[in-house]
Amino acid sequence: DDVYLPDKLAVQVPLLRDAPPEVGVIFGPVELIGPQGEPLPTPKWPAVPEGDIFLPLLHQNFVLAMGTLVRRSCYDKVGLYDENLPFEDWDMWLRLAKEYKFVYSPQVSARYRKHPGSVFDTRKKEMEEGSLLLLNKHRGCSKAADVAIKAQVRTRSELLYQLGGSHAAQWLRLRWQDDHSLQSLGLYLLAKLGISGRRIMQAQALLGRR
């Protein structure tokens, strides 16, 4: 139910065709629309990196699938999508970014339809756990990459615990192994004991009011 704009290929194909061989992906902005096609406010990235984007991509996925054009030969090199993940796009961009450069085209090329049944609204636990799974596939690429991945694990494992994710204790244990902090150990033990993350949030909120 997403929409390609009529000139998407007319704009992006020449850019990719004329780019040097180390460029594997053209990507651009996407507008949000509602269930009936009505325009919705679209967040703007303050600055979109291009070229070698592997490290920036570890911090946040700013490449939207419907706004991309990828060389066919790239898939021959990095392989197809990992169907073991709840969602595969971010992992694919990371795999491509290890091998190829990305070029940003500022022209809007597609519209993403947002509605009450959207995955990003209804499957937040699965999305967080999927993000943890795919990010940890890329550990060991470099020291800088591992720093970024550990930062993501720290934030997302706690969020998963707060959301009531069934595997939160596993990820909190990895967080503790990464930083060896008392806070991480405490959260891991609480999750291991089956204490609800929401209860911990409520207790923290009550203490904060005093």
Side-chain angles (χ1 to χ4, degrees):
D1 58 358
D2 301 324
V3 180
Y4 274 173
L5 296 186
D7 59 352
K8 176 183 179 354
L9 294 179
V11 171
Q12 292 186 338
V13 167
L15 291 174
L16 189 56
R17 182 189 59 213
D18 298 337
E22 61 266 23
V23 173
V25 182
I26 304 295
F27 72 108
V30 171
E31 292 179 341
L32 296 179
I33 57 175
Q36 307 305 318
E38 66 276 18
L40 295 177
T42 301
K44 302 294 184 183
W45 298 107
V48 180
E50 59 180 335
D52 181 1
I53 66 168
F54 179 69
L55 283 177
L57 263 179
L58 286 171
H59 292 280
Q60 189 169 22
N61 180 21
F62 48 84
V63 178
L64 301 178
M66 68 287 300
T68 63
L69 186 68
V70 184
R71 288 192 199 275
R72 174 65 181 82
S73 57
C74 293
Y75 293 114
D76 295 332
K77 186 166 187 177
V78 307
L80 300 180
Y81 288 89
D82 184 349
E83 296 181 3
N84 294 315
L85 297 171
F87 61 100
E88 309 90 356
D89 293 348
W90 192 3
D91 176 61
M92 176 55 74
W93 310 141
L94 287 166
R95 285 156 57 194
L96 288 167
K98 288 179 183 178
E99 305 290 342
Y100 298 96
K101 295 185 184 300
F102 284 48
V103 168
Y104 181 73
S105 172
Q107 184 167 328
V108 175
S109 62
R111 296 190 175 107
Y112 175 78
R113 194 180 306 273
K114 187 174 173 61
H115 51 78
S118 296
V119 167
F120 290 97
D121 293 327
T122 61
R123 297 174 55 199
K124 292 181 179 179
K125 286 185 285 190
E126 291 88 344
M127 297 294 288
E128 288 303 324
E129 184 147 20
S131 296
L132 287 162
L133 285 168
L134 73 88
L135 286 163
N136 277 278
K137 287 179 58 178
H138 300 277
R139 283 191 185 238
C141 293
S142 68
K143 288 183 178 179
D146 284 352
V147 168
I149 292 167
K150 289 176 182 179
Q152 288 279 0
V153 169
R154 180 173 181 82
T155 300
R156 291 179 182 276
S157 62
E158 186 168 350
L159 179 56
L160 184 63
Y161 179 43
Q162 293 169 357
L163 291 170
S166 58
H167 297 101
Q170 166 193 329
W171 294 107
L172 288 169
R173 182 173 185 270
L174 180 60
R175 166 179 155 160
W176 171 55
Q177 290 172 336
D178 283 340
D179 65 20
H180 299 288
S181 71
L182 288 176
Q183 182 185 19
S184 294
L185 176 59
L187 287 173
Y188 165 56
L189 293 175
L190 288 169
K192 190 73 174 174
L193 290 169
I195 298 173
S196 165
R198 290 182 181 179
R199 287 178 59 188
I200 300 301
M201 287 177 61
Q202 291 168 353
Q204 289 175 336
L206 286 172
L207 289 172
R209 292 174 191 160
R210 294 179 179 177

